[in-house]
Amino acid sequence: MAAPTPTTYQRQVGKHVAIAWDAEWANTDNMTDVVVLDLSAMAENYTNTLTVKKLFLLATTGIEVVLEFDASTDSLVAVLPEGATGPVNIDFSDWPDGGITKTGAGATGDLVITTTGAGSGDRIYLAVTAELS
């Protein structure tokens, strides 16, 4: 068995991108650095940096979710701990640089997701708005 294949929606208009990502488990296989957004696949040569502006992350209480920028040592974006009963809803637009950006050495800028504690029936929904450069 394998971790679920997520259902995704991605829309890019110029340097702006929106992602909706949803996965539901039928087993106990976790995800490790599964790509949510592949920066190198973006159109119009906006493949250098991704700045996350807003994030909404919701999961069932039995699974932990970690969203990171891919790098030699991944850079944390957000965590929804196992047992959490509410969503992570963050507006990063007031942060320096107008959002949260990759900082790690060897960073690709891709957004990746890792899970622990997955069980049958667990589900994750993620929505991200970001700016490319």
Side-chain angles (χ1 to χ4, degrees), residues 88-111:
V88 171
N89 192 7
I90 305 172
D91 182 346
F92 292 108
S93 59
D94 287 334
W95 284 38
D97 299 323
I100 188 170
T101 59
K102 64 181 181 180
T103 57
T108 65
D110 294 348
L111 277 180

Side-chain angles (χ1 to χ4, degrees), residues 2-89:
T5 301
T7 302
T8 61
Y9 169 83
Q10 183 171 301
R11 174 103 166 113
Q12 179 184 355
V13 178
K15 63 181 182 175
H16 302 282
V17 65
I19 306 157
W21 188 97
D22 179 72
E24 184 171 0
W25 273 252
N27 56 41
T28 59
D29 293 343
N30 284 296
M31 294 181 169
T32 302
D33 285 345
V34 171
V35 175
V36 173
L37 182 131
D38 180 357
L39 189 59
S40 65
M42 296 286 93
E44 303 178 37
N45 297 320
Y46 294 117
T47 59
N48 186 37
T49 301
L50 173 72
T51 302
V52 175
K53 299 291 191 174
K54 294 183 181 180
L55 166 76
F56 179 84
L57 173 60
L58 181 63
T60 51
T61 58
I63 190 169
E64 178 170 282
V65 182
V66 179
L67 184 67
E68 299 171 302
F69 288 108
D70 184 40
S72 300
T73 300
D74 292 346
S75 299
L76 181 66
V77 175
V79 174
L80 183 64
E82 184 175 340
T85 58
V88 171
N89 192 7

